[in-house]
Amino acid sequence: MGVRLMVVDDHRLLAEALASALKLRGHRVLAAAAPTAGAAELVVSRAPEVCLFGTATPAEPGAFDPIARIKRERPQVAVVVLGPVPSPRGIAAAFAAGAAGYVRHDERIEGVERAMVKARAGEAAVAPQLLQGAFAELLNPAVQPDDEGQRLLRMLTPREVEVLVRVAEGEDTRLIAAGMRIAPSTARTHVQRVLMKLGVGSRLEAAALAARTGLLDRAAVDGTPKGPDAG
């Protein structure tokens, strides 16, 4: 027995293509609508058995607000989300809003049909591999790239940052001492301390590291002071 359904998607062409394919397979399509943001009122008024809800941004805040409204006003309507491979946040947001299923948007039409039938029967319609992938990401979250420039900047005192800036500008110990109004021996100590903290063996390496990580740009933004009162 065919499913009485509606298809909504932000891309009307996709909604109409899926609706046509499902009609050919014996299902009763009440409407194909776009965009999803305005589809809730139509779904509520037509009351299909199943609503296929297409989205390209499942992790965006508010992406599933229309589903929440549909379930609030027409709790008997089963909503199946069609979207990209979801992040744990995306798939959790879909089910939290009241979705009965989540299907990848590159799924074969047979997979979409199976999800529709399961959702209409009150079952959760989500592929085991999607759940496995979501749980795997939750258990082993991807490490966010470290801002190395910021990390290095936190290791240095303001006085040492100024020394590094001067090293990067090609100043030797004598010029650093004169510019900062400190003794050459003190300037030399500051330079050695900077090299040690950065884990490099020469001034040239220190300058290259600072340039590569954007440390010098950050120092400029932070307004690192120069002069005898610095640090």
Side-chain angles (χ1 to χ4, degrees):
M1 181 179 175
V3 176
R4 192 176 75 254
L5 71 138
M6 288 181 59
V7 182
V8 298
D9 196 290
D10 286 331
H11 302 284
R12 183 173 295 278
L13 185 62
L14 294 180
E16 292 177 349
L18 181 55
S20 296
L22 290 169
K23 282 181 182 178
L24 291 174
R25 300 177 74 88
H27 300 287
R28 183 185 173 194
V29 180
L30 303 181
T36 55
E41 186 172 347
L42 184 59
V43 175
V44 168
S45 66
R46 302 296 294 273
E49 293 177 305
V50 174
C51 170
L52 296 178
F53 185 94
T55 178
T57 57
E60 286 293 311
F64 300 122
D65 286 352
I67 297 179
R69 181 186 169 190
I70 291 168
K71 295 304 294 183
R72 185 169 61 250
E73 299 187 31
R74 292 285 186 179
Q76 74 275 18
V77 176
V79 182
V80 176
V81 175
L82 304 177
V85 177
S87 66
R89 180 181 300 176
I91 199 167
F95 281 96
Y102 194 111
V103 179
R104 284 176 50 157
H105 58 192
D106 58 354
E107 178 63 81
R108 297 172 64 88
I109 192 69
E110 294 85 358
V112 176
E113 280 188 299
R114 284 194 295 271
M116 288 163 37
V117 172
K118 289 183 71 173
R120 183 177 63 175
E123 302 176 38
V126 57
Q129 59 267 33
L130 282 184
L131 286 178
Q132 289 168 1
F135 283 128
E137 188 174 332
L138 284 171
L139 293 172
N140 301 287
V143 177
Q144 295 299 313
D146 181 33
D147 187 338
E148 191 176 2
Q150 184 64 44
R151 180 177 62 82
L152 293 174
L153 192 60
R154 287 197 298 264
M155 292 169 55
L156 304 176
T157 67
R159 176 64 62 91
E160 290 165 349
V161 172
E162 181 181 352
V163 169
L164 178 59
V165 170
R166 292 179 180 277
V167 167
E169 290 173 350
E171 294 186 9
D172 59 17
T173 302
R174 180 180 57 80
L175 287 175
I176 293 173
M180 297 179 67
R181 301 181 191 176
I182 56 178
S185 59
T186 303
R188 192 173 301 108
T189 298
H190 281 317
V191 170
Q192 290 303 316
R193 220 174 260 158
V194 168
L195 298 183
M196 180 184 67
K197 287 187 176 182
L198 296 182
V200 296
S202 70
R203 298 181 182 213
L204 184 60
E205 287 181 76
L209 178 63
R212 178 176 60 80
T213 60
L215 193 157
L216 297 180
D217 293 334
R218 288 189 174 279
V221 170
D222 290 348
T224 300
K226 291 188 177 184
D229 296 328

